[in-house]
Amino acid sequence: MNQILVIAWREITRLRKRFGGGASPVAVLLLMGAVGLSAFALRDTVSLGSGLYRVGVSGDVPAIEDSRFSVIELEADEGQALLDSKSIDVWIDGAKVISRPDDKSQYAVRALKQYMEKAELIRVGNSFAEEDAFPLRVGINYLNPYQPPAENQTGGEAVAPVTKPEEVIIPSLTPPPAPFTQVLVALIYILPITFISIFFTSSFMDEKVNRRLTILLSAPITPFQIILGKMLPYAVFSLATTALIAVLTKGDVLLALAIFAPTTLFIFAIYLMVPLFYRTFKDTTFIAMLVTTLTTAYLVFPAMFTNVNDLAYISPLALAVKMYRDEPFGWREYLFPSVPMSAIFGFAMFAGTRLLNEEFLMGYKPITRKAADAIYLMMAHAHPYLSVPLWSLLVIPIVYLTQVVFLAFATNLPVGLIVGAVLIASAFIEEVVKSVGIVVLAERKVVTKFRDILLLSALSALGFLVGEKLLLLISITMVSQASVSGALFGSGLLLLIPLVAHFIFTAIVSLLATKAKFPYALALTLGTIVHFIYNWKVLGGGL
Amino acid sequence: MSPFWAVVKKELTSVIRDRTIVISLLIQLFIASFSSALLLGMLSLYDSDTIMRFSGAGIKIGVVGESQLSEFVRQRGLTVVPFDSLEEAEAVFFQNGVSAIFVVPEGISDTAQIKLYLPDNEAVSSIIRMVVQEPLKQFENYLREQNGIEVRYEDLKGKPSTSFEFIYSVLLPMLMFFPAFVSGSMSVDSLTEEVENNTLQTLLSAPLSLNAMISAKITSSVIIAILQCMAWLSLLRLNGIAFENTGWILLLALIVAGITSTAAVLGAVLLKDRERSQFIYSLSLLAATAISTLLNASPITTLSRLAVGDAYTGGWNVALFAVVLAALYLVLWKTSRRLAG
């Protein structure tokens, strides 16, 4: 513990030296001030479609204050001419709105409608008594659609009991629920964490450039202590900013910390990989960008569907959205996103301790070779019969994350191709994961015999299947609370067929790559094709 | 070949050899497709027009009691099933005959309370609440009129504008300016790597001034940025997205890439290490975006306006950014000596 604190303190000193003295702290403060002030000034005005429409107004028209519109005052007689020459998109003459039939003008009218509805509400609300201005109340009640009330004795039908207390709304003041703005608020939590990780990454890069890492590694401390020590100051700082944001946005501080702590760990886990794999500075920039994009997408995309689909809980932001709406959520909902993220953190810490050695860090090799080295280093310390299935089991959360990303890519394709493309991509990534360990071990001559490779393929398939089914089980029971374990594990045959299938595909790839000396990419392609055909048949036949 | 172009060529080949530029291209493709998918998803879930287009007439709403509301619901394109009592309506509701039930009391006058019965299933009930929002608002306006309150501009229609706004104010600027952002980062990396690995002195022993060397680095990142922009523009064209002023758009993208690279290199010259330079660069970019929006001279808005063919936007607006670039470059020219010292 003491050593960890020493390294943490050294890290703080390093940062203080970097940013202490000279102009840089002033510059940082000035820039942050500028960003903060502008964000404050712009908080209501920036919207989708900023500056797109030109509106001409003449006569008595309420002021239009919306960043989408540029307003031009004109005389009543020039309006039509300007509209016809497409200099303006809409002409508002008093209470009349005149537009052209073309698309752009019609878009402008719709945008104007959205704005005017709000503006008129404010005007009506301010100038009339509340009862007159908002004359409609709607009491919303919920009925359980699956439980019709029992017919009563006399044969007449009773009014069914409602499931929740009545909720009374005023339609024009109560927009239907959409989590968009709350998702944006929740996104604010992620931003500082990704910024802080620049420093975390740089810390390792510094050591590497200055060759101080060699000295550090020869000291009587473990790589685990080094990583933890370097991470500590940044992790504390991240949690502090999370608490600060929660205070500023009037959220529940403890709840926000609980929600975002696994997310912080997850982001650090991924940024830990960047300095381990980079070769030039440009690599770092690109890898860091990739990481930021993918994690943001992974976090934001599911949260958009909060309250629409239960799978939204893949992302912890969905919990934050719930928090801002004062809606309760239970342990299941909390653990569903947090467990995989913490698991990835654990995996990254393990990888980090294995890879933090001079030979691996300093080597300049193609990125694929570096990845192979990394996998070898992670597996080499245990017996292959243990490390291969464990590897297949532990990387499942990463496979799953990658498949979500593929799905986003695929939505670009024509509808007919989406399913096929996703199936091919998923088959490919699964085959990579299952076979890569075996191929790397065979390459290093750890396993050589035909029989061994077959056995390892079977173990790898088993590990993968167990991991896959566990994840499925956890996700389904956590979300729907239904007891589906019977359906998943009840019939032995149902599990045996995919196990055999996984085994066959992995064996094909491994044997082709190691014994037949096919290039790995070719072996993978062949395995993927067979896997895809199997998946396609299963889907088509409804097995 | 002059030493200047030799450095440009060396930078470009190193980018191609490292292959990590592919990551940057993938990111852009990913963000573009992802945000489009997001928008599509959002629209189909949260936009009542889109919901109506796909499943409008299939949604049946039971209404108990006569009122103007039935007419508004029907105008929205939903199917109205009238009932005499709530009991009857509920019987049909439980047989999946109607998805929701309105109960409007007789002789509705000033402050009316109507009831809406929804299935206790968040996915279905939120869709229904979205599609009945418009008829409810119309009914509210109708009641306001009964109270003698006139609401202006209530009959506006138009066409759903979200996709249009998204493409021209988010997607296109993103694809044109993200390469510029990347090229700034690349310039920082390229220069600080020479400094931190002590290869700068070697490079300067070539027959090339410090300013020429720095300019060559900036030029190569701008070339990479503009090539990406051209690729994105053709890809958008292929997808049937029309835009005007292509020449000005490309010039603007080029100038902005120049501005970001020059600013990034300026930071690197002053700070000399990657960590601080990248951090300050990202912060300044955020600040510059915010301030330019505040001053109503944002390159994003200019680009959107050029693309939709705004009558009041043209070469002069682009020239404004050229002035900024020239000024920044002059500052860099004067301060670059600090790097050698």
Side-chain angles (χ1 to χ4, degrees), chain A residues 164-377:
Chain A
K164 288 178 194 164
E166 189 175 66
E167 172 193 354
V168 178
I169 62 161
I170 298 171
S172 53
L173 296 182
T174 324
F180 196 67
T181 42
Q182 285 126 332
V183 171
L184 288 185
V185 172
L187 195 59
I188 298 175
Y189 284 100
I190 308 287
L191 275 181
I193 303 178
T194 50
F195 248 120
I196 290 163
S197 47
I198 293 184
F199 302 118
F200 177 58
T201 315
S202 298
S203 159
F204 282 98
M205 290 171 63
D206 251 17
E207 309 277 8
K208 201 162 147 179
V209 171
N210 298 334
R211 309 229 160 213
R212 270 201 310 247
L213 201 64
T214 325
I215 307 165
L216 200 58
L217 284 170
S218 58
I221 35 177
T222 59
F224 181 74
Q225 286 172 322
I226 297 178
I227 296 176
L228 219 57
K230 280 183 176 297
M231 200 179 278
L232 193 65
Y234 302 111
V236 169
F237 194 70
S238 305
L239 290 179
T241 30
T242 304
L244 185 72
I245 293 171
V247 171
L248 289 179
T249 53
K250 300 191 178 67
D252 183 337
V253 176
L254 283 179
L255 197 57
L257 280 178
I259 292 173
F260 286 101
T263 317
T264 314
L265 290 182
F266 171 70
I267 292 176
F268 274 112
I270 294 180
Y271 274 97
L272 177 61
M273 293 294 114
V274 178
L276 294 178
F277 280 92
Y278 90 101
R279 299 157 304 162
T280 65
F281 280 17
K282 276 181 205 142
D283 274 4
T284 327
T285 299
F286 287 131
I287 299 175
M289 272 179 197
L290 180 75
V291 165
T292 313
T293 321
L294 295 187
T295 45
T296 313
Y298 176 74
L299 293 173
V300 173
F301 185 60
M304 292 287 175
F305 301 94
T306 313
N307 283 9
V308 175
N309 191 320
D310 282 339
L311 280 179
Y313 292 116
I314 289 172
S315 162
L317 292 196
L319 300 178
V321 169
K322 284 245 170 201
M323 175 179 88
Y324 279 107
R325 283 203 202 142
D326 286 328
E327 289 172 354
F329 56 86
W331 276 107
R332 292 161 193 278
E333 284 88 354
Y334 176 72
L335 290 178
F336 186 47
S338 308
V339 169
M341 290 198 152
S342 311
I344 289 179
F345 174 73
F347 186 74
M349 284 303 283
F350 170 70
T353 51
R354 285 274 179 269
L355 301 183
L356 200 68
N357 65 63
E358 213 189 342
E359 197 193 336
F360 180 75
L361 288 182
M362 296 298 180
Y364 187 101
K365 293 176 179 173
I367 205 106
T368 42
R369 288 262 33 105
K370 263 201 123 145
D373 283 356
I375 293 167
Y376 175 71
L377 284 172

Side-chain angles (χ1 to χ4, degrees), chain A residues 415-437:
Chain A
V415 180
L417 291 177
I418 291 179
V419 177
V422 172
L423 278 183
I424 291 181
S426 316
F428 178 75
I429 182 87
E430 285 176 18
E431 285 317 312
V432 171
V433 161
K434 285 184 298 172
S435 63
V436 74

Side-chain angles (χ1 to χ4, degrees), chain A residues 476-493:
Chain A
I476 293 176
T477 49
M478 275 190 180
V479 170
S480 71
Q481 309 191 9
S483 146
V484 286
S485 55
L488 265 177
F489 294 99
S491 152
L493 194 67

Side-chain angles (χ1 to χ4, degrees), chain A residues 29-215:
Chain A
L29 282 182
L30 270 181
L31 284 172
M32 284 189 162
V35 173
L37 269 181
S38 326
F40 183 73
L42 291 170
R43 70 193 184 284
D44 290 329
T45 52
V46 170
S47 62
L48 196 66
S50 174
L52 274 186
Y53 309 115
R54 298 251 175 212
V55 183
V57 293
S58 53
D60 173 32
V61 177
I64 298 175
E65 281 156 2
D66 183 312
S67 67
R68 285 181 293 178
F69 302 104
S70 307
V71 181
I72 303 167
E73 303 250 359
L74 29 95
E75 295 300 315
D77 48 349
E78 13 171 49
Q80 194 60 46
L82 281 173
L83 190 65
D84 289 339
S85 69
K86 301 198 175 179
S87 293
I88 55 175
D89 302 311
V90 190
W91 170 32
I92 312 175
D93 184 24
K96 266 200 323 247
V97 173
I98 301 127
S99 60
R100 293 188 308 268
D102 64 79
D103 281 348
K104 196 181 170 214
S105 180
Q106 290 301 311
Y107 294 144
V109 173
R110 175 56 69 92
L112 192 66
K113 172 188 164 78
Q114 291 164 356
Y115 175 76
M116 284 301 193
E117 252 175 27
K118 269 190 220 143
E120 282 296 289
L121 269 188
I122 295 169
R123 183 184 68 90
V124 168
N126 285 340
S127 36
F128 298 94
E130 197 197 311
E131 293 297 292
D132 289 335
F134 300 103
L136 184 63
R137 302 281 184 280
V138 181
I140 297 179
N141 293 292
Y142 293 95
L143 301 168
N144 187 340
Y146 309 109
Q147 266 183 9
E151 304 251 331
N152 51 13
Q153 305 287 317
T154 52
E157 285 150 345
V159 175
V162 294
T163 52
K164 288 178 194 164
E166 189 175 66
E167 172 193 354
V168 178
I169 62 161
I170 298 171
S172 53
L173 296 182
T174 324
F180 196 67
T181 42
Q182 285 126 332
V183 171
L184 288 185
V185 172
L187 195 59
I188 298 175
Y189 284 100
I190 308 287
L191 275 181
I193 303 178
T194 50
F195 248 120
I196 290 163
S197 47
I198 293 184
F199 302 118
F200 177 58
T201 315
S202 298
S203 159
F204 282 98
M205 290 171 63
D206 251 17
E207 309 277 8
K208 201 162 147 179
V209 171
N210 298 334
R211 309 229 160 213
R212 270 201 310 247
L213 201 64
T214 325
I215 307 165

